[in-house]
Amino acid sequence: MAAILDLIGNTPLVQIQRMTRHLPENIRIYAKLERFNPGGSVKDRPAMWMIRDGIEKGLLTKDKIILDSTSGNTGIALAMIGAALGFRVRLVIPGNVSDERKRICRAFGADLIFSDPLEGSDGAILDARRIYDECPEKYFKPDQYNNPANPRAHEESTGPEIWRDTAGELTHFIASMGTSGTLVGTGRYLKRMNQAIQIIAAEPDSPFHGIEGLKHIESSIVPGIYDPAVYDEKVGVDTDLAYELTQRLASEEGILSGQSCGCALAVALKVAERLAQEGKPGNIVAIFPDGGEKYLSTPVFAGRDHVSFGEGI
């Protein structure tokens, strides 16, 4: 019988069907549904790798508190893993993240410190650094933005899973960027297996965006693990488009997802439509980082409460 942390990884790969009906049959889009990790997101992977690395190096002991900044999903993952392994967890999180994320972190027993919502994830990063520097002997700080164990998690798990589940026949890989660990680690593995695979980074198209968990890299504190040499192309996505596609994923595909999934899908559709124009085939894999349960109170699902019965039945 498996323990809860044994369930991290081996998430399903599903084909997007109704939203791709306008594409030729030889162009397919697949979504890797990271919501099926026990903590509900792709961040379970780097969180587990960073915690395990800290324990192995003797940096994390039972007398220390796990401290990190997060926009939500990594915090949930750290809180879950901390609860399962018996570690205390303290998280610095922007004050405007969804109520669901705050409540989930607290349910796992984590202490929350809220940073200025106007400063986004960068404000949380700076506040966490200050707290750690004031008493470094008290904390273990995984530092998800700079810890090599973050992309290594994807190089050792996400990449091999995608290669296995596509029988090595994918042509494009797409991931949206927060810490950039998913893109960098998975991209490195896939390029090692086949240099022809196109690695494409998805990001908000503006510093002032509403896609929780993602960074507009050029206007943000650049993560130490960020490696632009890994990807072949970077595409900016409008927040409204990400929201629209997130809503359509739920109503047309039955996939309740977060807005970063809509961001990744926007880029996947753009790539697919470009291939169609060029008369080329494609097997496109996009990371869907999490589920939509944590965003039901946010603007992405605002106005979706009214249901009309009878239409389309």
Side-chain angles (χ1 to χ4, degrees):
M1 184 176 294
I4 190 67
L5 300 185
D6 295 330
L7 302 179
I8 295 174
N10 288 305
T11 52
L13 192 68
V14 301
Q15 186 173 354
I16 303 300
Q17 295 180 313
R18 295 186 65 197
M19 295 174 70
T20 57
R21 285 178 296 186
H22 63 295
L23 297 172
E25 290 185 0
N26 63 352
I27 299 176
R28 293 170 287 272
I29 296 175
Y30 299 93
K32 189 158 177 62
L33 301 183
E34 290 295 292
R35 64 180 291 185
F36 285 92
N37 283 301
S41 84
V42 70
K43 296 299 188 177
D44 285 10
R45 299 176 187 262
M48 187 70 252
W49 258 252
M50 291 187 297
I51 293 299
R52 189 167 58 201
D53 184 67
I55 293 171
E56 290 173 354
K57 292 178 177 177
L59 301 174
L60 175 57
T61 55
K62 290 294 184 180
D63 61 324
K64 290 192 175 183
I65 300 171
I66 297 170
L67 168 73
D68 214 348
S69 59
T70 174
S71 59
N73 280 332
T74 301
I76 290 170
L78 290 172
M80 176 197 68
I81 295 167
L85 297 179
F87 291 104
R88 292 174 293 168
V89 177
R90 185 162 294 159
L91 303 168
V92 183
I93 190 168
N96 59 341
V97 303
S98 69
D99 287 341
E100 293 92 336
R101 291 191 184 203
K102 297 172 186 176
R103 291 179 180 182
I104 293 169
C105 288
R106 284 176 169 145
F108 284 126
D111 296 327
L112 301 186
I113 299 170
F114 297 114
S115 59
D116 187 339
L118 297 179
E119 295 179 1
S121 61
D122 284 356
I125 290 172
L126 295 174
D127 283 359
R129 286 179 184 172
R130 176 183 53 77
I131 293 168
Y132 177 81
D133 289 342
E134 288 174 354
C135 196
E137 69 279 1
K138 184 177 181 179
Y139 297 108
F140 167 71
K141 191 171 184 294
D143 194 8
Q144 61 168 324
Y145 293 95
N146 298 291
N147 192 330
N150 179 343
R152 188 167 70 245
H154 300 289
E155 195 167 356
E156 295 179 357
S157 67
T158 315
E161 289 171 25
I162 291 172
W163 183 260
R164 177 196 69 201
D165 293 344
T166 61
E169 294 182 354
L170 73 158
T171 58
H172 299 74
F173 170 72
I174 297 164
S176 52
M177 293 190 294
T179 67
S180 76
T182 306
L183 178 86
V184 170
T186 310
R188 282 175 179 161
Y189 177 85
L190 294 175
K191 280 290 190 183
R192 190 161 65 245
M193 300 304 291
N194 181 358
Q195 277 288 330
I197 296 171
Q198 295 293 290
I199 309 300
I200 304 174
E203 70 170 358
D205 65 357
S206 166
F208 306 103
H209 65 88
I211 309 177
E212 280 197 40
L214 300 190
K215 276 181 174 285
H216 179 261
I217 292 292
E218 291 182 2
S219 63
S220 305
I221 298 174
V222 178
I225 61 173
Y226 175 65
D227 183 3
V230 171
Y231 59 79
D232 299 283
E233 182 181 1
K234 183 170 68 170
V235 180
V237 176
D238 177 73
T239 295
D240 288 341
L241 176 59
Y243 283 13
E244 176 191 342
L245 292 178
T246 301
Q247 294 162 2
R248 289 182 61 193
L249 278 167
S251 62
E252 297 179 36
E253 298 285 344
I255 300 174
L256 187 64
S257 63
Q259 55 259 53
S260 59
C261 306
C263 178
L265 180 59
V267 177
L269 287 168
K270 180 176 181 179
V271 170
E273 289 160 2
R274 186 168 64 199
L275 288 173
Q277 290 177 352
E278 296 170 353
K280 297 178 181 178
N283 287 316
I284 303 163
V285 174
I287 294 288
F288 278 20
D290 61 2
E293 298 88 347
K294 298 186 289 290
Y295 306 96
L296 295 178
S297 65
T298 71
V300 68
F301 290 113
R304 307 293 289 185
D305 294 335
H306 175 72
V307 178
S308 296
F309 294 96
E311 294 183 10
I313 299 177

